[in-house]
Amino acid sequence: MQIHVAHIRERAQSGGWLSCVFDARSTSGTAADNSHLLARLTVAAKAANLRVDHAALAFVTAGRLQFFGSHSFVQVLSKRGLPSWTHSLTI
């Protein structure tokens, strides 16, 4: 599966600089499955030599863009919108 990634340098409210947004959502869409998927993608991003301080999933549900992940990072994304994809991962 090919996943788009936005690797951005963004100062989060809780600290940290480098963050990843993944173009993905778990099949079920539950919080538990989204958390598992986010953890898996974060490990894959780190294995690809991307530094990850904060991470989030970005997906569209019922025509609306939603974010799931690090609370402080999701707040920033909710205000600024979806960044451009910079990388892709195969998992």
Side-chain angles (χ1 to χ4, degrees), residues 27-60:
T27 305
S28 70
T30 65
D33 287 346
N34 280 341
S35 291
H36 178 74
L37 177 60
L38 184 57
R40 184 174 169 205
L41 291 171
T42 299
V43 168
K46 289 179 179 181
N49 294 320
L50 298 176
R51 186 167 165 216
V52 182
D53 293 325
H54 301 279
L57 303 176
F59 51 88
V60 175

Side-chain angles (χ1 to χ4, degrees), residues 10-81:
E10 179 66 51
R11 181 84 174 156
Q13 293 173 349
S14 64
W17 280 98
L18 293 168
S19 304
C20 283
V21 180
F22 302 102
D23 181 23
R25 175 184 166 264
S26 67
T27 305
S28 70
T30 65
D33 287 346
N34 280 341
S35 291
H36 178 74
L37 177 60
L38 184 57
R40 184 174 169 205
L41 291 171
T42 299
V43 168
K46 289 179 179 181
N49 294 320
L50 298 176
R51 186 167 165 216
V52 182
D53 293 325
H54 301 279
L57 303 176
F59 51 88
V60 175
T61 301
R64 186 171 156 235
L65 178 63
Q66 295 185 343
F67 299 103
F68 176 90
S70 171
H71 180 72
S72 59
F73 187 38
V74 166
Q75 286 182 323
V76 170
L77 292 169
S78 294
K79 291 177 185 171
R80 295 196 181 172

